Amino acid sequence: MRLLVREPGPGSLTPTQRRLGRDWRLATLFLAPTAVLVGVLVLVPIVRSMITSTTERHGSESVFVGLDNYLALAGDDQFRTGVVNSFVFTAYAEIFKVVLGLAAALLLHNLGRGRALLTGLLLVPWVVPTVVTAFSWRALLDPIFGSVNTLLTASGIGPLLASTHLVDAWPAGWLSDASLAMPSVILVNVWKGVPFFTVCFLAGLKAIPTDQYEAATIDGASALQRFLHVTLPGLRHVITVTVTLSSIWTFNNFDLIWLLTQGGPGDVTAPYVLVAYSKAILQLQYGAGAAVTLVMLPVIAGLVFFLVRLLRQDAGAGPGRVPLWPFGVLVAGLLAWASPHIFWKAALILGVILLIAAAVGRVVSVLQDKGGRRTSSVVSRTGRGVALTGLLAFVLGPLYWIAVTAFKTEGQVVARVDDLWPAPWTWEQFGALFTNQPFGRWYLNTLMVSAASTIVALVCAALAGYALARLRFRGAQGFTVTVLLTYVMPGALLFIPLYQLLIGVRLTDSLWSLVVTYPTFTIPFATWLLAGYFSSIPADLEEAALVDGCSRVQAFGRVVLPLAKPGLLAVALFTLTNAWNEFLFAFVFITKDEFKTLPVGMQSMIAGDVVPQGQLAAASLLVSIPVVVIYAFGQRFLTEGLTAGAVKG
């Protein structure tokens, strides 16, 4: 019979333990690294940004101007346009990512053989660096030479789009036409974001008990009723977390839009982050740039409050649930007002998708009711196969184009011959890449920075996550909220004060500037995920180790860490990918070729209208292969880590 460790009663605690908590000493030790890094790299820069926003630069000096920078934003057309663009970009992207991500997750969840392979393939767009995404889609959407216009023209769809006024002219200038640029940028963001939603929703579907579906089926519920009354309520927590966090990331997106359009044509795709970058970095008006980022802080705080409120409701705390439909109506109304030229097109596409899904589901239900189970099974499998084929074509098409372009001769690339299959295959572009560019140096820089960032994040997050999940000390809830706030804090808010800080300590144009600043976005997420994962590990396993004579630290190292391997590997995958793909900090802090990372180095290969597409395709392939291989081997641990960590935590 195994004895469990009993917690000391109130009488056995020292006065300090009663005041600060039973485990305050160990908690202080475990939380110190994260607290120092978060304090120095996030909280202090935010305070400094607030101070900077009250100043204006005159020559080499900064003059205090109070609230003038904020008041000036009220009449700044560029700022207003940037805010509207950020809202439109985010809202449409999130709607389509939820619909397509949920559809993909349902298709994969009900799939038997090949599910792991298909899930891995769907993850590829999310894994590949943003610069690869932007380059491939810029080439595909080129109005004259792009494969999209070529295929649409050959199929007759392109002229049909023009005749129905879905596009103004043909061939379409997807990124250069003011009416098409924003929808095109949204499309690329959806392409890159759907895999993350799919993986999160898959993890949520696995957590829904199968007996709920069986009970609903026995009660006579149709497939649609089971989806509405079992699946959606079961995914409420996952959808809330995923959409809220993704909305914050999308709202503060800089790299994808910059690499695709640089905010053009005009300012039709320029988000507020690009406005802040233009004022602070290009015009050297740090105060005005800081004001742009800080004035959006209440929006982010509102999203965080909304997230916490819904999570508390899911946990059974607080008042009754807040209905979501008024929020949806509000968003739809704002979208119709802010972007009427996009709204009806998006509504049409969504309507077609939902009608097709509903029609297939209805046919299957009718066939099942009439006893035609074999026929309904054939219809269901056919519909699933067609949907998966279309989804894979959408996901893998741009990546296939990169792969074949990388092995073409320069003549084939320029002449646009053998677009879908090189003839002959050649290594010419890879040789030119290493000959004409310091690509090897960029690769080594990225590898070193990503490895260092991953190690720092794992060590700090494992200690802090364990303390928040297991130890009892005063201030635990406050520290958890602080970690969540810093996690959702956008790089757009931090890059200006961090840039000033790095200039002050002379760390710009060095790899140390990236190693020092990357913990701002790696540690908070890693801590949050691991805290949820540690909470899912049965406490009695640790208590048994304590009974056997282990100290708390020994139990953590010998029992908890081995059991948390899926969570640790999931954190490592996320951290490595984020560091490998990071663009904004590297773009702002690094200007010398010898210190550039791969995303910034590849962007610098484009000089005006001169785009070395073959070399960029070869570079994209070499940049993407390592992370794709790592995810292929670590996919199982990623799903387990999400299920027990971010989803349940």
Side-chain angles (χ1 to χ4, degrees):
M1 178 178 180
R2 180 167 57 82
L3 298 177
L4 296 181
V5 175
R6 296 183 178 275
E7 296 185 5
S12 62
L13 298 177
T14 66
T16 304
Q17 287 178 319
R18 285 195 293 269
R19 186 168 57 254
L20 300 180
R22 183 192 66 195
D23 304 313
W24 71 273
R25 286 190 180 90
L26 188 58
T28 301
L29 178 65
F30 275 29
L31 293 174
T34 298
V36 170
L37 288 174
V38 168
V40 172
L41 297 176
V42 179
L43 301 182
V44 170
I46 289 175
V47 173
R48 180 167 181 170
S49 184
M50 293 178 180
I51 297 173
T52 301
S53 69
T54 62
T55 65
E56 185 175 300
R57 185 166 180 168
H58 293 284
S60 60
E61 297 183 356
S62 295
V63 179
F64 178 76
V65 295
L67 298 178
D68 287 358
N69 287 323
Y70 293 95
L71 297 175
L73 294 178
D76 191 331
D77 291 336
Q78 186 184 25
F79 171 71
R80 288 202 299 268
T81 300
V83 173
V84 172
N85 287 342
S86 294
F87 166 73
V88 170
F89 175 64
T90 301
Y92 284 115
E94 296 310 304
I95 290 171
F96 278 95
K97 280 187 278 192
V98 168
V99 173
L100 295 179
L102 184 55
L106 290 171
L107 288 172
L108 293 173
H109 182 65
N110 295 322
L111 196 64
R113 296 178 180 178
R115 181 170 62 184
L117 175 62
L118 290 175
T119 303
L121 291 175
L122 289 178
L123 266 178
V124 175
W126 182 60
V127 171
V128 299
T130 303
V131 67
V132 175
T133 299
F135 157 68
S136 59
W137 279 98
R138 275 184 60 174
L140 289 170
L141 295 174
D142 185 275
I144 299 176
F145 301 109
S147 298
V148 171
N149 275 356
T150 301
L151 292 174
L152 291 179
T153 300
S155 64
I157 297 176
L160 178 63
L161 294 176
S163 64
T164 56
H165 301 290
L166 288 173
V167 298
D168 294 333
W170 195 260
W174 299 102
L175 296 175
S176 57
D177 189 320
S179 64
L180 295 176
M182 180 60 82
S184 300
V185 172
I186 292 170
L187 169 68
V188 179
N189 182 266
V190 170
W191 179 83
K192 189 167 182 62
V194 163
F196 176 73
F197 278 67
T198 301
V199 172
C200 291
F201 292 164
L202 265 177
L205 288 171
K206 289 182 179 180
I208 299 177
T210 55
D211 56 359
Q212 294 185 12
Y213 289 102
E214 294 171 357
T217 303
I218 293 173
D219 292 339
S222 65
L224 178 61
Q225 291 172 326
R226 292 195 297 271
F227 174 75
L228 294 176
H229 299 292
V230 179
T231 302
L232 285 183
L235 289 176
R236 177 185 172 93
H237 178 97
V238 182
I239 293 175
T240 300
V241 174
T242 306
V243 171
T244 305
L245 296 179
S246 178
S247 296
I248 294 171
W249 299 336
T250 308
F251 191 79
N252 295 289
N253 187 282
F254 171 84
D255 48 359
L256 183 64
I257 296 176
W258 174 266
L259 291 167
L260 284 171
T261 64
Q262 295 191 1
D267 289 327
V268 296
T269 60
Y272 89 94
V273 183
L274 197 149
V275 176
Y277 169 80
S278 175
K279 292 180 181 295
I281 306 302
L282 300 183
Q283 302 172 26
L284 296 180
Q285 293 296 335
Y286 298 125
V292 170
T293 59
L294 285 170
V295 81
M296 301 309 299
L297 194 57
V299 177
I300 299 170
L303 286 173
V304 173
F305 174 79
F306 183 71
L307 169 64
V308 173
R309 178 76 178 272
L310 289 177
L311 292 183
R312 283 176 56 83
Q313 292 172 0
D314 288 339
R321 289 185 173 181
V322 177
L324 297 180
W325 66 265
F327 179 73
V329 171
L330 174 63
V331 171
L334 290 174
L335 285 175
W337 167 78
S339 57
H341 63 292
I342 301 177
F343 183 80
W344 71 270
K345 298 176 184 177
L348 177 63
I349 294 172
L350 276 177
V352 170
I353 293 174
L354 295 176
L355 281 175
I356 292 174
V360 173
R362 180 61 178 168
V363 169
V364 173
S365 297
V366 170
L367 291 174
Q368 287 179 340
D369 292 341
K370 292 183 177 181
R373 293 189 176 275
R374 178 175 298 179
T375 305
S376 66
S377 178
V378 171
V379 172
S380 178
R381 287 199 301 268
T382 303
R384 186 183 300 118
V386 171
L388 284 174
T389 301
L391 184 63
L392 287 175
F394 172 66
V395 166
L396 300 180
L399 302 175
Y400 173 80
W401 182 88
I402 288 176
V404 297
T405 303
F407 291 97
K408 292 179 180 179
T409 64
E410 189 62 26
Q412 291 174 346
V413 173
V414 173
R416 296 285 174 173
V417 296
D418 302 314
D419 203 31
L420 299 179
W421 193 259
W425 290 70
T426 176
W427 295 93
E428 175 184 325
Q429 302 299 341
F430 295 91
L433 175 65
F434 283 93
T435 301
N436 301 334
Q437 308 291 342
F439 187 77
R441 184 72 231 181
W442 298 341
Y443 215 103
L444 182 61
N445 291 341
T446 307
L447 185 62
M448 290 190 297
V449 171
S450 301
S453 302
T454 301
I455 292 172
V456 171
L458 277 176
V459 172
C460 294
L463 296 174
Y466 176 78
L468 296 175
R470 283 287 194 262
L471 304 182
R472 295 193 175 185
F473 59 96
R474 185 178 295 275
Q477 185 174 3
F479 195 92
T480 303
V481 172
T482 302
V483 168
L484 180 60
L485 288 174
T486 54
Y487 170 44
V488 299
M489 204 64 64
L493 183 64
L494 300 175
F495 79 91
I496 297 175
L498 286 176
Y499 181 64
Q500 293 177 289
L501 176 65
L502 293 173
I503 290 177
V505 296
R506 299 183 178 180
L507 271 184
T508 54
D509 278 324
S510 74
L511 295 183
W512 283 109
S513 65
L514 305 182
V515 174
V516 167
T517 56
Y518 279 9
T520 58
F521 60 84
T522 57
I523 289 180
F525 169 77
T527 301
W528 184 54
L529 190 145
L530 284 181
Y533 198 93
F534 287 140
S535 297
S536 70
I537 297 175
D540 56 354
L541 299 176
E542 190 177 354
E543 292 171 350
L546 296 177
V547 169
D548 292 338
C550 288
S551 66
R552 195 77 166 184
V553 175
Q554 290 173 327
F556 168 67
R558 297 178 182 179
V559 177
V560 178
L561 284 183
L563 293 173
K565 184 173 66 172
L568 293 171
L569 288 175
V571 165
L573 286 172
F574 274 104
T575 303
L576 182 65
T577 303
N578 288 333
W580 189 271
N581 297 349
E582 201 283 325
F583 180 81
L584 177 59
F585 285 0
F587 181 62
V588 173
F589 301 157
I590 304 293
T591 59
K592 295 181 179 179
D593 270 348
E594 59 188 293
F595 298 118
K596 287 179 179 178
T597 57
L598 286 168
V600 179
M602 290 176 61
Q603 188 269 341
S604 68
M605 292 170 61
I606 302 174
D609 294 331
V610 180
V611 182
Q613 290 192 5
Q615 295 179 40
L616 280 170
S620 300
L621 203 60
L622 293 175
V623 169
S624 304
I625 286 175
V627 284
V628 171
V629 171
I630 291 173
Y631 267 83
F633 285 101
Q635 177 189 331
R636 176 173 62 87
F637 297 105
L638 173 65
T639 305
E640 290 181 20
L642 280 172
T643 304
V647 174
K648 292 185 178 179

